[in-house]
Amino acid sequence: MKGSHHIAIESSRLKYEFDIKRNITIIQGDSATGKTTLIDLLNTYGRYGVESGIMLNSDVPCIVFSANPITWQDTLKTYNDSIIFFDEDYSFIFSKDFAETIRDSSNYYVLITRQPLYNLPYSIKEIYGIRTTGKYHFPEKIYHEFYPIYTDVGIYEIKDAVVLVEDTGSGFQFYQKICGADKCQSAGGNSKIVGKLENMPHDKHVTVIADGAAFGAYVASVLAISKRMSDVQLYFPESFEWIILKSGIIKVDNIDNILERPEDFIESRAFFSWERFFEDILVKATIDDPIRRYSKSKLSSFYYEGKNKDSILSIMPKGVFDKII
Amino acid sequence: MLSIYFGEKDNVMNGPAWFRFNYEAKWLSEGLVSRMIRDIDKSEYQGGELIMSDVLGPIPPERLSGGLQTLICIYNKPELMFNATSCGENCAKWLLEMGKDKDISINLRYFMPFENLEPFEIRILNEDKIVMNMDEYTRTAIKYV
């Protein structure tokens, strides 16, 4: 499945309206915001349809998972091109088996949980809370909407910085070339950023760079520890490949539209996370050109020299590298 | 005192599920519980088993939020350990408040901030140590969630 899907579900007293645009969406936030009530509405509609007095507007089926937790894999395989909602308390959603099961699926998944899902590559941009809008006193109709919890994650301040990059791939190689090897370190993977960050010298300013498209499980911990440190700034672009494509140094048909609305082009069955999609575009667009050929494991000098380097840097928010290049 | 075990743990109770079939009506009239109902669910306890919700109108205790149900269980069954992951960040101050009144132990599987609630005393069961500020708390908690 691909595309953004607008969902509106309402009864005479309650209405929820939101958009789901990636294969994995997380709902969390404060208690008593209406998460369980949303599930109740969807579940009741699923069971009784319009006879329930609930109206659902969606271009794809919306299903609340309610099967036996023992046979969940079999149950999930019976759904296609649907949005499947999970209320909290299903422990299997944290397992590798769950990640493997939904990886090649045509469904989108909406998971209500505060516990990080380390086996799933979900975006920091698709972690939402629910809030009421307008009047909210019984018996008037109550309107609920989703809001992104981590919209403010970005550059906090301009500072002289040591750069901590999540991995050792092409992105790290780029940042190391432009910052100098002494100022750029790899954390060695998403799960090691917190530990590495915590052990940074206290007199150093640190910029953390990670692919936002798959950093959702880690963002809360990184934010928590960065608040305890004196000088940390965070930069979570969609992915390094997204930055390259955005810079325009590689010509790709229709790229402006693709980057404007990726959800309309990314098939969930083919790409578990958006960063894989952007990598795929870049690899295919450069495969026949030995100079430009893009590889995640080894970055061609084409990308970190001369005007191309400047074009890539121009995509990054002002402040990321101002004082260290 | 509030004690927290971070990360996955066996033999902890699911608050909303436990509450639904085991709560006692008299718990609702306790002063601290009434205040939590007002603060978290924006509702008023009316007596008996009736609660008036700003959003839902008159409701029974089974329709209180999962986070609030878990808090009520933690307060009234301190001999049990509940999974407080169903409690959102707006429950943090009430966990500390309950911990002033009695010894309670909870399981948390996400990083719940106790921002702007210092000074506090929280025992981290994973390391059997007491933390008293957000810096100590954060550096200890994130090792396990």
Side-chain angles (χ1 to χ4, degrees), chain A residues 18-294:
Chain A
F18 49 91
D19 297 298
I20 302 294
K21 61 182 180 184
R22 296 198 202 200
N23 56 340
I24 302 169
T25 299
I26 307 296
I27 304 176
Q28 46 188 230
D30 280 347
S31 290
T33 53
K35 298 182 288 294
T36 301
T37 303
L38 168 62
I39 293 294
D40 281 348
L41 277 173
L42 289 165
N43 208 12
T44 304
Y45 181 85
R47 186 170 175 186
Y48 300 103
V50 292
E51 293 175 14
S52 62
I54 296 167
M55 286 187 294
L56 173 66
N57 283 306
S58 169
D59 63 340
V60 294
C62 293
I63 292 153
V64 175
F65 179 86
S66 59
N68 185 329
I70 305 296
T71 57
W72 61 267
Q73 282 168 302
D74 294 334
T75 305
L76 285 183
K77 285 173 186 168
T78 64
Y79 298 121
N80 290 299
D81 301 318
S82 303
I83 300 175
I84 304 178
F85 292 76
F86 287 78
D87 202 357
E88 48 194 346
D89 305 332
Y90 286 108
S91 57
F92 63 80
I93 66 171
F94 303 102
S95 69
K96 284 185 178 171
D97 284 345
F98 181 70
E100 286 303 315
T101 302
I102 71 169
R103 172 186 286 272
D104 303 318
S105 157
S106 64
N107 301 310
Y108 282 6
Y109 298 86
V110 179
L111 306 161
I112 297 179
T113 179
R114 297 186 182 90
Q115 186 174 343
L117 297 125
Y118 291 114
N119 289 310
L120 297 181
Y122 54 99
S123 168
I124 61 170
K125 292 180 180 173
E126 305 305 330
I127 302 174
Y128 295 94
I130 296 177
R131 64 186 171 202
T132 53
T133 59
K135 293 177 178 177
Y136 55 95
H137 288 286
F138 175 83
E140 292 135 336
K141 194 163 189 169
I142 312 295
Y143 294 86
H144 297 80
E145 65 178 10
F146 286 15
Y147 69 95
I149 289 180
Y150 293 110
T151 47
D152 293 335
V153 175
I155 297 304
Y156 290 148
E157 295 171 48
I158 297 171
K159 286 179 178 140
D160 182 14
V162 167
V163 177
L164 180 58
V165 185
E166 63 169 297
D167 64 9
T168 57
S170 52
F172 171 67
Q173 292 162 29
F174 176 83
Y175 300 126
Q176 201 172 40
K177 289 287 183 190
I178 60 166
C179 302
D182 57 325
K183 287 186 174 178
C184 186
Q185 300 179 24
S186 167
N190 281 342
S191 62
K192 294 179 181 168
I193 285 186
V194 168
K196 194 92 174 175
L197 184 56
E198 216 182 348
N199 291 318
M200 282 283 168
H202 286 246
D203 60 338
K204 294 282 188 188
H205 307 304
V206 183
T207 295
V208 177
I209 302 177
D211 290 347
F215 203 64
Y218 304 93
V219 64
S221 293
V222 170
L223 267 180
I225 196 66
S226 69
K227 284 182 183 172
R228 311 320 313 166
M229 299 177 70
S230 55
D231 288 313
V232 176
Q233 57 184 4
L234 307 171
Y235 177 43
F236 298 143
E238 200 72 56
S239 71
F240 182 59
E241 292 80 8
W242 178 89
I243 295 173
I244 293 174
L245 291 169
K246 188 85 174 166
S247 74
I249 63 172
I250 301 296
K251 300 303 172 200
V252 176
D253 287 346
N254 204 26
I255 193 64
D256 289 343
N257 287 330
I258 292 172
L259 296 177
E260 179 68 24
R261 288 186 61 85
E263 61 270 27
D264 290 343
F265 299 88
I266 300 177
E267 167 58 51
S268 64
R269 195 191 295 268
F271 299 101
F272 203 21
S273 78
W274 282 16
E275 61 176 332
R276 303 282 181 212
F277 171 76
F278 298 124
E279 182 186 350
D280 187 67
I281 290 179
L282 205 45
V283 167
K284 286 177 177 164
T286 60
I287 198 161
D288 295 325
D289 184 336
I291 305 295
R292 293 177 171 79
R293 188 174 297 150
Y294 182 79

Side-chain angles (χ1 to χ4, degrees), chain A residues 13 31-32 114-115 118 138, chain B residues 8 54 56 85-86 88 90 145:
Chain A
R13 300 231 302 263
S31 290
R114 297 186 182 90
Q115 186 174 343
Y118 291 114
F138 175 83
Chain B
E8 304 260 349
D54 261 7
L56 302 169
T85 307
S86 51
N90 53 340
V145 293

